[in-house]
């Protein structure tokens, strides 16, 4: 079994003073990796990842997922990628990645609702079943990296 080391670091010089921080997390017992670069178009949604109760053809077991990262590899500002995280209970949320941006998740818990519907923080009723992507312009590439136990 392997250990995945994830490092998040900010470093900025403001008025002659370095600011920022570095956080390192080790995720142990990694036995499987999914790594892919996909071209994302503008005309239709692209299926990126599927999750289920067990591994299968094109499906990752949600209980085995320990880490996933999505990075928009484009260097062109107009080439944003919108990610849609969906579950079968019709929960859905979106994340827009500008050129060079990344988004990280460490589980498949999902809850989304209309702002007028009150829900307690931390009350998750669903799990991500499908991740879709669509580009605003061009054909940017999306890098997908996932680690499972």
């Amino acid at each position: 079994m392997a250990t995945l080391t994830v490092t998040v670091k900010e470093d900025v010089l403001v008025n002659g003073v370095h600011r920022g921080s570095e956080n390192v997390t080790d995720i142990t017992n990694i036995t499987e990796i999914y790594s892919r670069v996909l071209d994302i178009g503008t005309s239709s949604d692209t299926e990126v990842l599927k999750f289920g109760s067990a591994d299968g053809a094109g499906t990752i077991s949600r209980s085995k997922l320990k880490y996933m990262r999505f990075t928009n590899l484009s260097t062109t500002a107009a080439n944003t990628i919108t990610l849609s995280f969906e579950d079968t209970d019709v929960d859905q949320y979106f994340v827009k990645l500008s050129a060079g941006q990344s988004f990280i998740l460490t589980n498949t818990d999902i809850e989304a609702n209309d702002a007028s519907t009150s829900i307690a923080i931390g009350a998750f009723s669903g799990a991500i079943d499908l991740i879709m992507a669509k580009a605003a312009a061009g054909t940017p590439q999306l890098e997908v990296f996932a680690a499972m136990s």
Side-chain angles (χ1 to χ4, degrees), residues 23 33 36-37 41 46-47 54 66 90 102 108-109 114 143:
N23 293 285
I33 296 295
R36 185 170 181 196
V37 175
T46 300
E47 287 190 1
K66 301 298 179 195
V90 301
S102 294
T108 61
D109 293 339
D114 184 288
E143 181 178 42

Side-chain angles (χ1 to χ4, degrees), residues 10-37:
E10 298 88 19
D11 185 22
V12 63
L13 182 65
V14 177
N15 296 327
V17 178
H18 279 278
R19 305 281 182 185
S21 66
E22 180 175 328
N23 293 285
V24 179
T25 302
D26 288 330
I27 303 170
T28 58
N29 301 322
I30 300 300
T31 59
E32 300 176 34
I33 296 295
Y34 176 88
S35 181
R36 185 170 181 196
V37 175

Side-chain angles (χ1 to χ4, degrees), residues 72 74-81 96-100 136-137 140:
N72 180 346
S74 181
T75 58
T76 303
N79 292 354
T80 62
I81 296 173
K96 184 183 281 189
L97 296 178
S98 296

Side-chain angles (χ1 to χ4, degrees), residues 81-129:
I81 296 173
T82 299
L83 298 175
S84 172
F85 300 85
E86 306 172 10
D87 79 0
T88 55
D89 295 329
V90 301
D91 289 331
Q92 183 179 36
Y93 72 93
F94 300 93
V95 173
K96 184 183 281 189
L97 296 178
S98 296
Q101 289 184 335
S102 294
F103 183 71
I104 296 172
L105 289 171
T106 56
N107 61 55
T108 61
D109 293 339
I110 182 175
E111 185 58 58
N113 63 302
D114 184 288
S116 65
T117 305
S118 179
I119 185 169
I121 294 176
F124 294 100
S125 65
I128 299 169
D129 294 314

